[in-house]
Amino acid sequence: MITNVIQPKGEIMATALDVAQFFIACAETTEDGEISNLKLQKLVYYAQGFHLAIYGQPLFEEDLEAWTHGPVAPSVYHHYKRYGSSPIPVPDDYVVDRKFSEEQLDLLREIYDVFGQFSAGKLRNMTHSEPPWLENEKYASRIPKDMLLEYFKTRLK
């Protein structure tokens, strides 16, 4: 479990890359200790969706897009694409970003505990059966945040 947390110092919104780095650090603490870009994309998607459903606001501002292999945060994809399907290493000096509140950290940990146990392929298949991807994939388009909000509200019941 990640414990080296810097507390929030203001109302600065986290980025999709901040969320991704949190999940990469989480992966290092697990048995297999590995996370690929594909798996990372799906975790970022679930974090944004559940954050919207629970708090009524986005975790990060960037829009997700419906790509061939599921929802993608383009900035995260491009930042880590050099690793291909290989595990992404955690930087030695990584510290949980102060942009996350305690509630957000709790949510991110829960997302990792629930969805981090699945393989990248399983997560891809899961997202391929969900409306936010299904209704946007043929256009390879932006997934509207209001669509994520409405869909993930149904997942809370």
Side-chain angles (χ1 to χ4, degrees), residues 22-155:
F22 177 86
F23 288 134
I24 293 166
C26 284
E28 185 182 55
T29 66
T30 61
E31 194 173 302
D32 66 6
E34 298 182 349
I35 192 167
S36 66
N37 200 346
L38 180 63
K39 183 172 183 172
L40 186 59
Q41 294 296 333
K42 306 318 160 232
L43 295 173
V44 169
Y45 160 78
Y46 284 117
Q48 179 76 310
F50 280 110
H51 192 277
L52 280 161
I54 294 167
Y55 300 108
Q57 60 185 354
L59 179 59
F60 53 86
E61 195 58 40
E62 181 178 352
D63 286 322
L64 297 170
E65 295 179 1
W67 288 15
T68 301
H69 294 289
V72 169
S75 66
V76 174
Y77 171 79
H78 291 297
H79 189 81
Y80 293 113
K81 69 183 176 186
R82 69 183 176 272
Y83 296 104
S85 60
S86 299
I88 300 169
V90 181
D92 293 334
D93 61 348
Y94 177 74
V95 179
V96 174
D97 198 288
R98 67 181 171 268
K99 294 175 187 165
F100 297 118
S101 68
E102 278 304 315
E103 292 81 13
Q104 290 170 328
L105 288 169
D106 288 344
L107 176 64
L108 291 173
R109 288 181 188 114
E110 186 171 351
I111 295 293
Y112 191 80
D113 288 347
V114 172
F115 295 99
Q117 65 184 309
F118 300 118
S119 70
K122 171 74 174 170
L123 290 169
R124 179 191 59 225
N125 293 342
M126 289 166 56
T127 63
H128 278 202
S129 68
E130 298 172 352
W133 183 82
L134 283 170
E135 294 176 21
N136 292 286
E137 64 91 17
K138 62 183 163 192
Y139 307 109
S141 63
R142 175 183 72 82
I143 300 172
K145 288 182 182 73
D146 60 338
M147 180 181 284
L148 289 170
L149 172 73
E150 291 308 313
Y151 170 68
F152 279 92
K153 275 185 177 179
T154 69
R155 301 275 312 259

